[in-house]
Amino acid sequence: MSVDGHLEALRREGRIVIVGASLAGLRAAETLRAEGFTGTLTLVGDEPHEPYDRPPLSKQVLLGKVPADHTRLPRRRPIDAQWRLGSAATGLDLAARRVRLADGDTLDYDRLLIATGVRARPWPHELEAELDGVFVLRTQDDAARLHHRLAAGPRRVLVIGAGFTGSEIASACREREVPVTVAERAAAPLVGALGGVVGEVAAELQRAHGVDLRCGVLVTGLEGDSAGRVRKAHFSDGSAVEADIVVVALGATRNTEWLADSGLGAGPRGIACDAGCRAFDVRGIVTDDVFVAGDVARSPHPLFGYQFLSLEHWGNAVAQAEVAAHNMVSASAERRPHLWMPSFWSAQFGVNIKSVGVPPMADQILVSQGSLAEHRFTAAYGYQGRVIAAVTFDQAKWLDFYERQIEQAAPFPPEFTTVDRRPEGHQPVSAGFPDPSQPTHGPTVTLSGYSPTDRRVSFTPRRA
Amino acid sequence: MRLVVDLNRCQGYAQCAFLAPDVFTMHGEEALMYDPQADDTQRENVRRAADACPVKAITLDYEDRPAAAGKAGGSGVG
């Protein structure tokens, strides 16, 4: 009875703080109100802006079709929140249930949701990163500045890193007829996320659209002129390129530093939580009142071997926020697990790229529809004899089917034949993912849990 | 008016591009591009597009919904 009474009081007049005022934070706030939470709701955001949508920043905004400040997210309902925008959270006191803010204020909570997401990884050389013309692209302000410079007609743009963001930026440049060089340390674009076979298709697409694509190289240095403007980049193969804009697209870093001394299980790979979005502390014990959602969370997924998945996916931010918000104000028997099927999209060089499942977990790939050469295909990804993911280039309508296959642990290679399976789709081939111990710019999914093939503890029986 | 399209759900049916071509356009064979802050004069067209979307991928600001619908469809997409 007292537990029920406590929960009822929480729903009626509790204090909920959401740290992170982006997609996950906003959708969680809406869900809390939709579920009848009438207490105090505070949203903390380090940027001065209301929650906005990021996918258009590297597409519509860079193409000049939409101003950067026109991507604010629609609200599903009034959330009656107290907004603390432009004030980053700097610390968390778990015992006192209190969040510290950069301006010195503190916020007391009964339930806390952490949705602080990720930020762009900057160019590691600080002086070079400060050169005029060197950009990253993560925030609305980044997009506004980069669009402004693209509109001025640069002679050449250099994009460092050919993950999704880097490739989309290169695509936008070519559509604006701006010369662009892309430098990628791996053998092909998108390798970390989709593997080498599909990466080769991405490389062909880039080159067909006039991108000066250089794979297998590192950018060893950026050079500025006397006025501090970037003008040249040097590569590890001894070559160089002149560019007046450099976009650093080397993936993202999780915003967990502010939790370093909190006792929460937070680190560079994100904040570990259970399937119900409840955060783990450093002892691996689940907390009762701290929840996690979005890019910063990593949680176990039974469909993928209980790996702790950390997903930089738009749909995950929405789904996980809804589950977290529901669980925050629900009794334990009513809590729901977050078992979202990973999926994402990208549009680049006129092609709609979509994916379900976890491609980087795969060891093999089979082109089950269409053809790599036509840049229009469906590829099934296999792991230990089952379908683990699928990727489509301009064949998105097939993904629902493969989603079912993944959910049912259907055998790989697929047993069905299709009317247009070409010779290349008759036999699976290696998916061509790079060594996972090597850093990549951004696989969008980080596998960080226990792997049955990765035994690091051995059992030694005591001698009789 | 603000809107967002869940492009995981979007299957490129292009109903929206047909009903509100000033807001939604196809980019290439099947990728969708849209204006997330469409002009208010497009309100009726966008509302029709959202209703016509076969996978219900378009979310509009609650302010742009009639009061009754806003109340009934509180949970919206998802």
Side-chain angles (χ1 to χ4, degrees):
Chain A
M1 190 185 81
S2 67
V3 171
D4 287 350
H6 175 74
L7 186 63
E8 193 41 51
L10 170 78
R11 295 172 68 99
R12 200 172 55 245
E13 55 198 16
R15 300 158 301 176
I16 293 184
V17 172
I18 298 175
V19 182
S22 192
L23 179 62
L26 176 63
R27 293 297 181 243
E30 291 165 351
T31 305
L32 285 167
R33 292 305 190 202
E35 301 230 350
F37 173 68
T38 54
T40 312
L41 183 56
T42 308
L43 266 96
V44 178
D46 62 340
E47 290 183 66
H49 309 296
E50 278 182 57
Y52 58 88
D53 206 27
R54 294 183 200 277
L57 299 179
S58 57
K59 306 175 190 79
Q60 290 99 309
V61 172
L62 288 194
L63 288 172
K65 294 176 189 286
V66 168
D69 60 357
H70 278 208
T71 66
R72 284 177 301 168
L73 283 160
R75 306 275 175 82
R76 293 172 175 175
R77 56 165 48 245
I79 55 175
D80 184 26
Q82 297 175 6
W83 293 87
R84 299 297 300 260
L85 297 176
S87 60
T90 54
L92 168 64
D93 185 335
L94 279 178
R97 296 184 175 184
R98 185 172 294 150
V99 173
R100 284 192 301 278
L101 302 184
D103 60 14
D105 263 8
T106 57
L107 297 169
D108 293 331
Y109 64 82
D110 299 304
R111 292 273 191 275
L112 171 68
L113 178 66
I114 300 173
T116 41
V118 303
R119 64 183 182 278
R121 188 174 291 147
W123 186 241
H125 190 295
E126 264 180 55
L127 287 177
E128 293 176 5
E130 283 168 13
L131 288 169
D132 182 38
V134 177
F135 294 88
V136 292
L137 178 56
R138 175 72 193 170
T139 67
Q140 179 184 305
D141 294 343
D142 294 337
R145 284 191 290 263
L146 182 54
H147 167 254
H148 180 71
R149 293 294 280 269
L150 286 178
R155 279 169 301 166
R156 178 167 293 275
V157 173
L158 168 66
V159 179
I160 306 177
F164 284 106
T165 303
S167 298
E168 288 173 9
I169 294 165
S171 173
C173 287
R174 290 311 300 142
E175 205 164 326
R176 300 183 75 140
E177 297 184 350
V178 172
V180 59
T181 297
V182 172
E184 166 58 47
R185 68 186 290 166
L190 309 183
V191 156
L194 305 181
V197 176
V198 174
E200 272 314 305
V201 181
E204 282 174 27
L205 268 176
Q206 296 212 2
R207 293 200 166 105
H209 284 82
V211 174
D212 170 30
L213 175 65
R214 307 194 187 185
C215 294
V217 296
L218 293 173
V219 174
T220 52
L222 302 177
E223 192 181 317
D225 63 14
S226 56
R229 290 178 298 232
V230 71
R231 69 180 186 97
K232 200 173 190 180
H234 296 274
F235 297 145
S236 54
D237 62 1
S239 64
V241 68
E242 300 216 358
D244 36 8
I245 294 179
V246 172
V247 190
V248 179
L250 293 172
T253 303
R254 288 172 171 76
N255 292 317
T256 55
E257 290 85 350
W258 67 284
L259 298 166
D261 301 320
S262 66
L264 216 55
R269 287 170 156 180
I271 305 166
C273 62
D274 72 2
C277 308
R278 296 186 298 170
F280 287 137
D281 70 14
V282 289
R283 302 167 298 173
I285 297 175
V286 78
T287 55
D288 293 321
D289 41 24
V290 181
F291 291 72
V292 197
D295 294 3
V296 79
R298 60 189 195 94
S299 62
H301 201 308
L303 269 182
F304 305 98
Y306 290 97
Q307 287 272 352
F308 274 68
L309 294 183
S310 177
L311 302 167
E312 293 176 39
H313 294 169
W314 190 93
N316 184 65
V318 176
Q320 200 165 19
E322 289 170 348
V323 171
H326 169 83
N327 291 347
M328 287 170 89
V329 293
S330 297
S332 59
E334 260 109 57
R335 286 180 179 154
R336 295 197 299 252
H338 171 61
L339 299 177
W340 186 73
M341 174 68 77
S343 61
F344 68 87
W345 76 89
S346 170
Q348 49 185 271
F349 304 103
V351 175
N352 190 31
I353 301 174
K354 292 183 85 166
S355 161
V356 292
V358 181
M361 211 170 159
D363 39 38
Q364 289 192 307
I365 185 175
L366 180 131
V367 180
S368 51
Q369 307 273 133
S371 142
L372 297 173
E374 291 166 16
H375 305 160
R376 187 181 166 88
F377 61 88
T378 301
Y381 287 68
Y383 174 65
Q384 295 185 344
R386 56 169 287 204
V387 177
I388 202 84
V391 169
T392 58
F393 274 43
D394 274 348
Q395 285 196 341
K397 285 193 174 66
W398 281 100
L399 283 178
D400 275 353
F401 171 77
Y402 285 93
E403 193 172 325
R404 300 288 99 73
Q405 297 269 303
I406 298 164
E407 284 169 355
Q408 294 159 12
F412 181 93
E415 288 168 336
F416 53 86
T417 53
T418 58
V419 282
D420 78 337
R421 193 188 280 187
R422 319 290 167 86
E424 64 190 304
H426 288 164
Q427 287 297 325
V429 296
S430 166
F433 283 100
D435 177 354
S437 67
Q438 296 295 314
T440 60
H441 41 71
T444 77
V445 179
T446 304
L447 301 166
S448 50
Y450 166 75
S451 165
T453 59
D454 182 20
R455 284 185 60 166
R456 291 192 181 158
V457 179
S458 55
F459 175 61
T460 311
R462 196 168 53 178
R463 282 201 189 89
Chain B
M1 65 182 307
R2 300 183 207 166
L3 62 121
V4 69
V5 181
D6 182 343
L7 291 171
N8 284 319
R9 287 175 177 237
C10 175
Q11 300 247 4
Y13 287 102
Q15 295 295 304
C16 55
F18 177 70
L19 290 163
D22 291 337
V23 180
F24 304 96
T25 50
M26 298 311 291
H27 200 70
E29 290 286 312
E30 61 172 53
L32 178 71
M33 268 207 196
Y34 61 94
D35 181 353
Q37 192 171 320
D39 194 274
D40 272 347
T41 59
Q42 293 295 319
R43 187 177 299 250
E44 199 46 44
N45 287 345
V46 172
R47 206 172 276 159
R48 283 164 58 200
D51 289 341
C53 176
V55 290
K56 295 285 170 251
I58 304 170
T59 302
L60 307 182
D61 233 357
Y62 67 90
E63 292 153 335
D64 292 307
R65 283 282 176 188
K71 228 174 186 176
S75 63
V77 175

